[in-house]
Amino acid sequence: MGKKRKDEHEDEETLNQLRVYRGVFPWSVAEHDWVIATFNLRRPNGIEGLPIPEEYPELEHDLKTVKGQELENIKDIILFSDIFRHRYPKKLEYESHSYRFNQINKFLDIHYDELVQMRFVVERDGEIIVAPQLIETLCTSLYDEEDFDESGEWIGNTFSFKDVVAETKAKIDKKAAKDRPTEDQARKGLIPWSSAEFKWVMNEQSIRRQNSDENEKLQEEYLPLKIQMARETGKKISNFNTLALLNEIFHERYSNRVESMAHFFRYHSIFQFVDEYKNELIKDDLVKETGGDIAMEPELIESLCVSPYTSDKKSENKRHAFSYAEVVKRAKDIRSARLN
């Protein structure tokens, strides 16, 4: 009976070891980052008094004989081992997570140049930044390829480069799709802009309006659309040429169609808002009128660049109109924050 229990225990130990080498036990990005942060915090204190890892008994001899960078590498192994043993006191957790950590570092080292080319790894101001999607993939993926040492002896399993790249790209694409602005957000004014971009478009429009060759070309290109819109609405579109030029400017500036549409609507709505509420805005000291020209205060521009469309009953433009009360409150809050 005792021998049976011993055999069962040995079988379970062997099975768990195979699971460790296969990467069956996933890790988390948060835990990976914690280990790195703890290592950076403890490294200046050295390894005095730390035990030699049971799995690397030869390091005790190496500590006394090697020098230079090789000695620093050995010290790092001992420190990492101590960090993992305190974080994961259970043998299986220690082995699985420390093995995965080593496989992650090995993967990043071996494929560094390729990962840089794919922008999965970026060097910035002397710091190496790894895409979070890549770390997440490496923390959870199975090891699908056998790993061998220099003599050709099997030493476990490791990541499949092809599979890791494919899964990381899928994660990045999914995040991009999730973060991509929607048409519904554009219609509701929920895609914020910036006053710097607003001013850039104003300046660009002013410059290109003087280019007669470009304007003639645009009039010719947009003529069929102008005729079609006039038939559908039964009205003469007096500012059509201006809208055509703005359409070109926005689509050149913003490659994303929804983003271009959102900012185009907002730009047009800003001027409609100021025209409609000019007198009220002057009284609220958010618009100044000089010699027939009006100038918006910076706080008003900033407010209009981020406010959603929540039209007042007074507004004729129900589709992309701002609430006067909300815009003015936000502008005055911005001004108050700067003054204080």
Side-chain angles (χ1 to χ4, degrees), residues 181-182 184-193 262 266 306-309:
T182 65
D184 185 58
Q185 289 175 317
R187 285 191 292 269
K188 294 177 180 178
L190 298 177
I191 301 175
W193 208 20
R266 186 178 291 276
V306 298
S307 293
Y309 304 133

Side-chain angles (χ1 to χ4, degrees), residues 217-268:
K217 183 179 179 182
L218 286 177
Q219 288 179 36
E220 184 178 339
E221 289 180 1
Y222 280 82
L223 181 59
L225 178 59
K226 183 178 181 180
I227 295 172
Q228 180 184 347
M229 290 180 67
R231 285 174 178 168
E232 290 178 356
T233 62
K235 298 179 181 178
K236 182 180 179 182
I237 307 173
S238 57
N239 62 341
F240 186 86
N241 293 338
T242 298
L243 295 175
L245 176 59
L246 284 172
N247 187 59
E248 291 294 310
I249 291 172
F250 276 95
H251 279 87
E252 290 169 12
R253 185 72 169 178
Y254 308 102
S255 57
N256 183 283
R257 182 186 65 82
V258 174
E259 190 178 12
S260 171
M261 175 185 69
H263 299 328
F264 177 89
F265 285 148
R266 186 178 291 276
Y267 185 78
H268 186 60

